[in-house]
Amino acid sequence: MSPLKAAQSNEWLRRIMRCFDAAIAMGVSSLVLLLVPHITFSNEYYLFLMVIGGLLLPAVGEFLGLYQPWRGRSLYSMLGAYWLSWLATIVLLSLLLVATQNTANFSRLWMGSASLAVLTTGSAMRVVLYLYLALRRWVWNSPPELGQNMTSTAAGGMTWTAPRF
């Protein structure tokens, strides 16, 4: 793959991860809103805060280096960047609520449980993706079994195949 195509592919992956993080933040906080009693989903304050938080997390993550390439990075450094981005997002959302004097409009139970649920879900998804990529790399780099040949695939890659009898 040429360096230009690799850079373009890397940029698309970064965009997908930003959308993934925003969707997790909005989706998980919406689910927590449905599960917390005595709060209606039609309250526009909560919807507004979920959208702001969902868009702020990728922006803060980009600033703190969350979307750097995963090659050569440890799982702990990636989770540390995610947790730092999450903490900065929560602090900025809290400062926004204090500055606009809207802290009385939100349930502290929802704020705490939604923020912890977003942190847990986002971290778990990153661990699962990291382990999937590590397993794929391990399988790809494993030596062939006795009697297997390397053949090309339709997608342009290579795979190990056993001879047919």
Side-chain angles (χ1 to χ4, degrees):
M1 184 182 297
S2 71
L4 181 60
K5 286 189 177 191
Q8 290 172 347
S9 174
N10 190 19
E11 185 60 33
W12 276 105
L13 290 174
R14 289 173 67 185
R15 288 179 186 165
I16 289 170
M17 283 305 295
R18 286 184 204 118
C19 294
F20 184 69
D21 285 339
I24 285 177
M26 287 188 264
V28 170
S29 58
S30 298
L31 180 66
V32 171
L33 185 62
L34 289 174
L35 296 176
V36 173
H38 310 296
I39 299 176
T40 61
F41 195 79
S42 63
N43 190 343
E44 65 272 355
Y45 290 117
Y46 286 96
L47 297 175
F48 182 66
L49 190 64
M50 285 186 284
V51 169
I52 288 178
L55 295 176
L56 194 60
L57 180 62
V60 170
E62 182 68 35
F63 181 69
L64 295 176
L66 179 61
Y67 302 110
Q68 296 300 318
W70 288 19
R71 185 174 300 247
R73 290 179 67 185
S74 71
L75 177 63
Y76 299 111
S77 68
M78 288 189 302
L79 288 178
Y82 185 77
W83 293 348
L84 185 63
S85 300
W86 169 84
L87 181 64
T89 301
I90 296 301
V91 167
L92 288 173
L93 283 175
S94 300
L95 287 174
L96 175 71
L97 292 177
V98 169
T100 59
Q101 298 178 353
N102 282 324
T103 55
N105 294 333
F106 297 98
S107 166
R108 288 179 181 86
L109 174 66
W110 176 78
M111 288 284 292
S113 55
S115 62
L116 289 176
V118 167
L119 175 67
T120 305
T121 306
S123 298
M125 291 297 179
R126 286 185 183 276
V127 167
V128 166
L129 184 60
Y130 185 84
L131 292 177
Y132 167 73
L133 292 174
L135 177 68
R136 228 179 128 193
R137 182 178 59 240
W138 179 75
V139 168
W140 179 258
N141 291 333
S142 64
E145 297 293 325
L146 185 62
Q148 289 183 335
N149 299 322
M150 182 172 259
T151 59
S152 62
T153 63
M158 300 297 282
T159 185
W160 297 107
T161 59
R164 294 184 183 176
F165 295 103

